[in-house]
Amino acid sequence: MSAMKERPTFPARLNTSGSKEEAKRPEAQRARTVHQLQTAAPGQLKSQGLGMDSRAVRMSMVGKLAAQGITDAQVLAAMGHIERHRFVDTALVNQAYEDTSLPIGLGQTISKPGVVARMLELLRQGAPAKLGRLLEIGTGCGYQAAVLSQLATEVYSIERLRGLHDKACENLRHLRQPNLHLLLGDGRLGFAKGAPYAGIIAAAGGEDIPEAWLEQLAVGGRLVAPVATGTGKTRQQQLMVVDKTAQGLRQTLLEAVLFVPLKSGVA
Ligand code: SAH
């Protein structure tokens, strides 16, 4: 794949979450604060003097995800750890922990936390430990890639727009995740060098599931992607789950979703 450029990985140093002050605070008090925050609106959080870098603000988002029905503890923990506000433009920081998609430039959007959590839960299918190698198509601002890096031993994430690929490299620098590899290329071709993948996840929806993804998925692996369904007035995108088993592929269509289009080539 000649257009693909592999970036060097970041030096190995893990970002341990939570501030020192938070660590010192007694457990009961911390639990009480989290409970208050889970029921608070974002405006209230601001008036309580909590900056967007506070772990408590993320815990509020996690509480809402759990209330929406997300039960996978590892997904909730990963989303509680990654600071979404670092991935959006300064003007949008106040909305970073609301369940909304936000513009990230070049006509693209960062997915809603609720949709990210749902797709990651499907991808993990209740696995007790970390997943193996994962492939993400559509790095965008890098948020979902960052969450994935908490859930898998290795993550390859492809973006076709150079401007966003560069932005994601910048946004992800602070995490210094040595297991996260950002690639510039046409994700429809997958990334054969990293295959086979325990999981493949797409953040952009096409007419079909590209053949390369199915080939690069490991037996026992799972793919989660939006795909176009229906015709005319019933035309929409739905989440599709594909399980690759020793007997063949098993496809399941789930709820309607709204993702940016999966396009070809690099721009
Ligand atoms: N997961 C991202 C969501 C970004 S939106 C985040 O957390 O921000 C989906 C992204 O898919 C867009 O950036 C778009 O440019 C990209 N995309 C669309 N078609 C693609 C393709 N063929 N290969 C790689 N990326 C693609």
Side-chain angles (χ1 to χ4, degrees):
M1 188 174 294
S2 57
M4 192 147 312
K5 189 174 61 143
E6 192 163 354
R7 286 270 166 165
T9 56
F10 303 107
R13 179 142 58 91
L14 281 176
N15 185 11
T16 48
S17 74
S19 66
K20 283 198 187 107
E21 269 162 39
E22 219 171 346
K24 273 188 273 167
R25 224 184 315 141
E27 196 56 45
Q29 191 192 339
R30 197 157 57 226
R32 207 164 43 244
T33 314
V34 169
H35 174 74
Q36 282 164 3
L37 290 164
Q38 281 172 356
T39 49
Q44 285 174 282
L45 297 177
K46 255 185 104 192
S47 66
Q48 287 174 26
L50 289 162
M52 283 293 153
D53 53 353
S54 163
R55 180 169 163 75
V57 181
R58 292 195 301 286
M59 293 322 289
S60 160
M61 177 187 80
V62 166
K64 286 177 194 146
L65 294 174
Q68 280 173 33
I70 302 297
T71 56
D72 187 316
Q74 291 202 29
V75 171
L76 292 172
M79 294 193 63
H81 179 66
I82 300 298
E83 300 175 318
R84 193 169 184 259
H85 68 277
R86 286 181 181 261
F87 295 83
V88 300
D89 289 346
T90 323
L92 300 170
V93 157
N94 281 347
Q95 296 173 62
Y97 295 100
E98 289 172 21
D99 196 18
T100 176
S101 56
L102 295 168
I104 53 173
L106 302 176
Q108 309 302 318
T109 50
I110 178 175
S111 312
K112 283 161 82 140
V115 171
V116 172
R118 166 79 171 138
M119 289 179 81
L120 300 187
E121 186 165 77
L122 285 168
L123 192 70
R124 282 190 23 82
Q125 49 182 320
K130 278 194 176 187
L131 296 174
R133 276 198 305 279
L134 296 183
L135 176 67
E136 180 192 44
I137 295 95
T139 314
C141 66
Y143 172 72
Q144 183 171 275
V147 180
L148 285 170
S149 74
Q150 307 293 302
L151 300 173
T153 56
E154 216 72 43
V155 177
Y156 294 89
S157 180
I158 311 178
E159 173 57 54
R160 64 178 288 276
L161 297 177
R162 190 179 296 273
L164 285 178
H165 168 75
D166 291 345
K167 196 181 227 180
C169 289
E170 185 63 35
N171 287 345
L172 288 161
R173 193 157 292 141
H174 75 280
L175 270 182
R176 297 186 167 91
Q177 281 291 119
N179 65 338
L180 181 49
H181 314 280
L182 301 184
L183 310 158
L184 176 66
D186 182 353
R188 287 187 56 87
L189 307 174
F191 181 58
K193 278 192 199 159
Y197 297 102
I200 299 182
I201 184 165
E207 292 301 307
D208 53 13
I209 302 289
E211 201 54 43
W213 300 358
L214 300 173
E215 279 165 17
Q216 293 172 21
L217 191 62
V219 173
R222 176 172 270 201
L223 180 153
V224 183
V227 70
T229 57
T231 50
K233 279 188 179 158
T234 64
R235 185 134 183 90
Q236 60 176 358
Q237 272 181 345
Q238 280 177 269
L239 269 191
M240 179 180 267
V241 168
V242 182
D243 289 308
K244 190 166 180 176
T245 72
Q247 287 74 43
L249 299 170
R250 194 175 52 234
Q251 299 188 347
T252 315
L253 267 183
L254 300 167
E255 69 266 27
V257 284
L258 208 54
F259 278 82
V260 296
L262 180 71
K263 295 193 173 167
S264 298
V266 177

